[in-house]
Amino acid sequence: MNALGIIFSYSEYENLRELTKIRTLASIPFAGKYRIIDFILSNYVNSGIHDISIITKINYHSLVDHLGAGKEWDLTRKIGGLRILSPFSTPGSLDNTGNYKGTIDALYKSMHSIKRSMAEYVIIAGSNFICSIDYEEVLKSHIERNADITLIYTYPREGEILPHGAAMIRMDESERVYELNYNKMDSISQDMPVCMSMFVLRKSLLESLVADSIAFGRYDFYRDIIQRLCGNLNILGYEHKNIYFEVSNVTDYMKENMKLLDEQTSKKVFEKPVYTKIKDSVPAYYCAGSQVSNSIISDGCKIEGTVINSVLSRGVIVGKGSVVKNSIIMQDTEILNNVTLNNVILDKEVIVRENRQLVGHETYPVVIEKKSII
Amino acid sequence: MSREKKKEMIAMLLAGGQGSRLGILTKHVAKPAIPFGGKYRIIDFTLSNCVNSGIDTVGVLTQYRPLELNSYIGNGQPWDLDRLFGGISILPPYTKSKEGEWYKGTANAIYQNIEYIEMSNPTYVLVLSGDHIYKMNYKMMLEYHIETEAACTIAVLNVPPEETYRFGMINTDENLKIYEFEEKPLHAKSTMASMGVYIFTWEKLKSYLIADEANKKSENDFGKNIMPMMLEAGENLYAYEYKGYWKDVGTVESLWESNMDLLDPDVPIELNDPPWRIYSRNETLPSQYIGNNAKLNNVMVSDGCSINGELEKSIIFPDVKIKEGAVIKNSIVMQGATVGNNTALNYAIIASDTVIGDNVCIGAGAAMGPDGHHPEITVIGPYITIDDGVVIPAGAMIEESIIKKEGE
């Protein structure tokens, strides 16, 4: 496909507490063995796009470590391939701080790399929405409908609270976007479509829009391009009707992970292959006396205790007599004997020693930072 | 420009065997490509031993049904064997200007690839077979080979006296210098059996391969021809004692047993060993899902599985679906298979992508098997369908689908 993929590995509106303290949004573990970036990259690869740039801002070591040379996503290429664009500051400029003022600033400072691509179109994606989408279809509709920018949107699920910072749009009957607003409070608004932070446009248009905005000191893609220019540009919506997950705060993160315990949901998410880093871990082992129900378990886990309604990443150990309920346990975390966990998120490489009890609530899970010993 | 390209030791892996005693399991694939241990293939153990021992050049000699093995090996990337100089090469027999023939024997297979070996200009050549389960550091064996100044070092393990008839036995003096070979003797003088792992000093091996090829009566076999010839010529041949776990998976029984060994904490084969990982080609599959009614008791389960039945002492490969009410005991279910509702499996091997219907009973009325340790193993071949309600007696080997006719 004649398109360049651009991924923002971070979000300016997230509240993931300890989870993004040491990593960028895109490298948060999700659905057991995956990271959020796996779903986003797999969408591109499954749509035939093999030329991808990832824009990073801070704490992206874990992302670089996860992606390596992009081999597992079939992105180690001579033509195109994966590029991780680390923060860049223009030499000689006044703002030589290496920090981006906004999404447009980030694009501007990555322009040398974007310009190098021979692709005609760009497909931009953020890291806060996880879904399975065919970009080929989106691009087809973009060309057919003669759009300047195609914005992918969806309707919030019934009764769910729209997170702070969600970009709500208004469209006319031909799906032309004429208004965009940020959600400023946790409100329930079911009929208001929400932008899924994915856009399609011509690369040449992106280049001139970015140059123009920078000249006027405008830095926010939503506010300064979509919101400001929706009167002049033909910005069209494209509805994503399939299932999606949104990760912008810890409660949602927990809830969205738990949705994957429904087999129908997980079937839809994994209809097309989702690629991830290969760890060469052994198959999961369930000892005599273990009790596991309604849970996602990954390779390399060793379970002696009880696991209920939980999601376990690779290499998790659950000791004898321990009970893990409604929890998310990340890679290589060790839970020793007779531990009780309920509504807890344990980050990577945590050790929970014998007889400890950690209990959170559905609406406010306990989050334990990477490498903690409890 | 003369940059010398040289490897100290390269490995030649014999992977052309059929393994006919495995029946339907090797009907479509060579023995080294048989799935093993949840997510591996048998050849993964030898390949991983090579890379973990620092060997980065491996020639895989294929002959019998190589297609699946070829595509499994690919460019060797899963084993870190995609290298600028060296790496993995698949070596099938090929035609030469005037003649060209199949590999006649193990030694002939190496003989036909002398040119390949010389491309790396090695000092030593490690000859392996691709059908054994073990973890071994060949680097230590090479150190021993250099220390003893041997022309050939043979890895040996101790076997019980009643099993010597299955192996090539080796008799040595107290310094482990070999003075005699006995091929599958009923009453052996020693308990040292050859593991099919040899290190040769390449210059020596090359001359004996050429001499052996000139002898029209030779069977061109390492154990039967090359080694005895070297011994006769007065070369130094040494045995290298290996003390770990080793299993030849040549029969249905031994394949089942060595899989079950992985579930037995008393058997010294640990796969979860980060400094000595067993690498394999991984499928793109999500994490496994364990349902509400699942019971798992001493079970290994791989990626992509959905488990809703009761499992005991079993090994489940990737992407297997086990439905509610199914009871699986002492069994191996290979990749992509489905086991229906209320189906019972006992002492069974279900091959890849086979669909077992509801209320099926496999391994019914299990009688004690030939070795008396466990009941007979039932084997259901790959890519077939067993219809609802079918009963398959213990010890059967099913090669074709069993579909009930209308009205039955």
Side-chain angles (χ1 to χ4, degrees), chain A residues 33-34 261 263 274-275 278-288 290 292-299, chain B residues 39-40 77 271-272 277 279-280 282 284-292 296-303 306:
Chain A
K33 64 188 275 199
Y34 299 97
L261 294 176
E263 278 203 282
V274 180
Y275 303 94
I278 288 166
K279 302 284 282 184
D280 289 292
S281 23
V282 293
Y285 179 63
Y286 301 85
C287 303
S290 69
V292 181
S293 76
N294 193 36
S295 293
I296 289 172
I297 313 284
S298 309
D299 269 1
Chain B
K39 63 181 276 196
Y40 307 95
Q77 194 268 335
L271 295 183
N272 195 0
R277 250 180 234 283
Y279 299 97
S280 64
N282 286 251
T284 303
L285 290 165
S287 299
Q288 55 198 274
Y289 172 74
I290 309 296
N292 276 320
L296 299 129
N297 191 342
N298 195 14
V299 178
M300 216 178 232
V301 184
S302 311
D303 272 354
S306 160

Side-chain angles (χ1 to χ4, degrees), chain B residues 64-261:
Chain B
Y64 172 80
R65 291 215 180 258
L67 298 183
E68 193 166 324
L69 187 61
N70 291 354
S71 78
Y72 183 70
I73 292 172
N75 67 350
Q77 194 268 335
W79 303 270
D80 227 358
L81 284 170
D82 51 336
R83 302 291 177 107
L84 280 181
F85 170 44
I88 205 161
S89 306
I90 292 172
L91 306 168
Y94 59 96
T95 55
K96 290 100 193 167
S97 56
K98 280 193 184 121
E99 74 276 29
E101 54 187 350
W102 295 105
Y103 293 149
K104 291 181 286 182
T106 49
N108 177 256
I110 306 292
Y111 172 82
Q112 290 200 38
N113 287 291
I114 286 177
E115 273 180 57
Y116 168 78
I117 295 170
E118 304 252 275
M119 288 195 306
S120 319
N121 187 19
T123 316
Y124 307 100
V125 171
L126 172 67
V127 177
L128 303 164
S129 17
D131 45 12
H132 299 146
I133 304 295
Y134 65 114
K135 297 198 292 187
M136 180 178 181
N137 192 338
Y138 305 130
K139 205 193 277 171
M140 287 163 74
M141 184 175 168
L142 178 62
E143 280 165 18
Y144 175 84
H145 177 85
I146 295 169
E147 206 177 288
T148 55
E149 296 177 359
C152 168
T153 302
I154 302 173
V156 295
L157 80 160
N158 276 305
V159 294
E162 64 271 17
E163 282 189 33
T164 57
Y165 70 94
R166 291 172 45 208
F167 295 97
M169 301 304 294
I170 282 165
N171 300 324
T172 68
D173 65 16
E174 66 277 14
N175 295 322
L176 294 173
K177 188 165 186 240
I178 300 169
Y179 66 85
E180 193 186 14
F181 293 99
E182 286 183 286
E183 195 62 22
K184 300 186 176 166
L186 268 178
H187 302 286
K189 290 181 197 148
S190 80
T191 54
M192 272 193 256
S194 164
M195 293 163 60
V197 174
Y198 318 119
I199 291 178
F200 292 96
T201 301
W202 172 236
E203 280 312 316
K204 299 265 185 195
L205 175 61
K206 190 178 160 191
S207 63
Y208 286 100
L209 285 175
I210 294 169
D212 176 64
E213 191 61 23
N215 176 5
K216 294 289 170 222
K217 283 183 195 152
S218 171
E219 288 177 56
N220 306 116
D221 186 85
F222 275 107
K224 286 182 198 151
N225 308 104
I226 300 285
M227 259 74 112
M229 187 169 33
M230 290 176 84
L231 201 58
E232 216 168 282
E235 296 286 357
N236 273 341
L237 277 76
Y238 276 87
Y240 174 78
E241 280 185 298
Y242 167 79
K243 297 227 164 67
Y245 178 91
W246 181 91
K247 199 114 183 176
D248 176 15
V249 282
T251 62
V252 169
E253 262 71 32
S254 63
L255 178 67
W256 180 86
E257 271 169 23
S258 50
N259 269 287
M260 290 303 139
D261 281 347

Side-chain angles (χ1 to χ4, degrees), chain A residues 99-157:
Chain A
N99 211 345
Y100 298 141
K101 291 197 192 99
T103 36
I104 294 178
D105 195 29
L107 285 167
Y108 174 67
K109 284 171 179 157
S110 306
M111 215 27 108
H112 57 98
S113 173
I114 295 170
K115 279 190 172 154
R116 212 174 60 177
S117 164
M118 300 294 282
E120 194 177 346
Y121 294 94
V122 284
I123 298 178
I124 302 176
S127 291
N128 51 338
F129 279 90
I130 297 165
C131 64
S132 171
I133 188 167
D134 185 354
Y135 288 132
E136 220 162 329
E137 287 296 313
V138 184
L139 184 61
K140 215 173 101 193
S141 131
H142 177 83
I143 294 167
E144 270 170 16
R145 296 192 296 168
N146 208 8
D148 290 320
I149 299 176
T150 296
L151 173 157
I152 298 166
Y153 70 91
T154 191
Y155 286 95
R157 290 154 298 207

Side-chain angles (χ1 to χ4, degrees), chain B residues 7-49:
Chain B
K7 299 277 182 193
E8 186 181 31
M9 179 160 80
I10 69 164
M12 297 296 278
L13 204 159
L14 300 159
Q18 179 182 357
S20 51
R21 285 173 299 163
L22 285 159
I24 182 69
L25 295 172
T26 51
K27 198 174 170 189
H28 306 286
V29 297
K31 191 162 127 186
I34 291 183
F36 180 87
K39 63 181 276 196
Y40 307 95
R41 307 263 187 155
I42 293 170
I43 198 172
D44 288 333
F45 287 79
T46 334
L47 288 179
S48 301
N49 284 341

